[in-house]
Amino acid sequence: MTNHTKCLIIGTGPAGFTAAIYASRAMLNPIVIEGPQPGGQLITTTEVENFPGYIDGVQGPKLMEDLRAQALRFGADIRSGIVSKVDFSGAVKKVTLAAGDEFTADSVIICTGAAARYLGLPDEQKYLGLGVSACATCDGFFYRGRVVAVVGGGDTACEEALYLSNLAKKVYLIVRKDYLRASKVMQQRVREKENIEILFSTVTMGLFGEEVLEGAHVATHSGTANENFYDIAIDGFFLAIGHQPNTEVFLGSVDLDEAGFIKVAAPSTATSAPGVFAAGDVADPHYQQAISAAGMGCRAALDAERYLMEQA
């Protein structure tokens, strides 16, 4: 079994599978490396209603199964493994897996995604998909007319709270500090929304509910003489404290921004390493939607094809 390819794709979320579909149809015979979570974040998502083509919505795992099957249909060679080392310094790129397998490629597309940051509460995983979410745009629709909470004090948290305020009956914005870190404009918009209540100097201690989320245990001025514990009744709990891109293995091989996301030369998906491209959440700190990741995967495959043609 050959370990050399014209195009090596690392990661199998919407970006990786879409890149595989396009690269396969371009006769690049791509090898695709599935990481520790094949299918990416959507594997842990329940209902997806905003991905085009699924009129009645689709379960996250089913969507990824469909994308995987389509990539296989066009001949993508999907392998399992965790990338432990890369060398993008030469014309031929080298990628080593933790198990010791080595791959060489004329081009590489990085689609390793990003993971939402969580508070670290045991209950977060218990209620994941049952009230806990890290994407208001993805899941807010299910909380129309209900009560939700958003954790965070930056622009993202304020944006999520504002988005949810147009759907939910009430939105709690749980802020660890005694002020918002968001821009002045965002702060003003949040304060002017009648159904958003900001809980300053507040931390979440735990979540509770029988089968689905029913509320949160919170504390104000935690660790001080003024510490106060109480519960809030909520149907949804949205994390908005950022994402961590899966780029540790690429440190020093491609340029990253201050948050660790891969820098690309927009409008292309080219990284700082010639012949290496990046697509999806790993290079997109702004949109982080399945459909935008898929579109970027398409662009990356087209960029890789064009690069290989120029090198021929």
Side-chain angles (χ1 to χ4, degrees):
M1 186 179 293
T2 179
N3 281 354
H4 179 79
T5 177
K6 294 178 182 177
C7 181
L8 182 70
I9 300 169
I10 305 173
T12 52
F17 281 138
T18 304
I21 291 167
Y22 273 78
S24 296
R25 285 172 54 83
M27 307 303 289
L28 300 185
N29 302 315
I31 293 176
V32 185
I33 306 298
E34 279 189 319
Q37 187 173 308
Q41 294 185 68
L42 283 180
I43 289 297
T44 62
T45 302
T46 52
E47 194 76 16
V48 178
E49 292 193 324
N50 55 5
F51 197 92
Y54 292 92
I55 299 170
D56 299 316
V58 61
Q59 295 289 306
K62 170 61 175 169
L63 172 58
M64 299 319 301
E65 286 175 16
D66 289 348
L67 287 175
R68 188 180 196 275
Q70 192 172 2
L72 287 170
R73 177 194 166 205
F74 290 115
D77 181 357
I78 301 177
R79 314 274 187 95
S80 296
I82 299 173
V83 174
S84 61
K85 182 181 179 182
V86 300
D87 181 357
F88 298 152
S89 60
V92 176
K93 319 303 175 186
K94 300 176 182 178
V95 173
T96 304
L97 304 187
D101 298 7
E102 295 185 350
F103 296 83
T104 56
D106 300 317
S107 66
V108 173
I109 301 176
I110 301 171
C111 306
T112 49
R117 289 193 177 97
Y118 287 84
L119 296 175
L121 303 172
D123 299 329
E124 285 174 318
Q125 296 305 311
K126 177 181 178 181
Y127 296 109
L128 195 61
L130 299 171
V132 172
S133 171
C135 181
T137 309
C138 309
D139 301 326
F141 183 78
F142 303 110
Y143 296 90
R144 290 170 297 170
R146 305 175 80 176
V147 180
V148 301
V150 176
V151 179
D155 279 323
T156 298
C158 287
E159 287 173 5
E160 302 268 272
L162 286 166
Y163 175 80
L164 289 166
S165 71
N166 294 321
L167 299 168
K169 178 172 63 176
K170 181 180 180 65
V171 179
Y172 291 105
L173 183 57
I174 302 174
V175 184
R176 182 170 55 88
K177 298 182 181 296
D178 60 358
Y179 61 89
L180 291 171
R181 294 181 291 104
S183 62
K184 298 297 183 183
V185 172
M186 292 302 296
Q187 289 186 42
Q188 182 177 348
R189 289 175 182 170
V190 166
R191 293 177 191 278
E192 290 176 350
K193 263 293 188 175
E194 292 184 358
N195 64 336
I196 296 179
E197 180 180 346
I198 306 174
L199 306 178
F200 286 114
S201 303
T202 302
V203 295
T204 306
M205 308 300 292
L207 304 172
F208 63 88
E210 288 295 326
E211 296 182 359
V212 297
L213 179 69
E214 295 177 11
H217 304 297
V218 299
T220 56
H221 306 289
S222 179
T224 72
N226 297 321
E227 188 174 60
N228 179 43
F229 295 91
Y230 64 99
D231 294 343
I232 55 174
I234 54 173
D235 303 296
F237 186 77
F238 291 83
L239 283 303
I241 52 177
H243 284 73
Q244 180 64 46
N246 300 316
T247 53
E248 185 176 352
V249 73
F250 306 113
L251 187 64
S253 297
V254 294
D255 289 346
L256 310 177
D257 68 12
E258 62 277 3
F261 291 89
I262 296 177
K263 291 182 178 181
V264 294
S268 82
T269 60
T271 71
S272 58
V276 179
F277 307 88
D281 289 3
V282 74
D284 174 20
H286 302 292
Y287 298 104
Q288 297 183 332
Q289 296 293 301
I291 189 61
S292 61
M296 202 172 180
C298 159
R299 289 163 47 207
L302 295 175
D303 288 341
E305 181 185 7
R306 188 173 297 111
Y307 167 82
L308 293 172
M309 289 176 64
E310 292 172 352
Q311 302 303 307

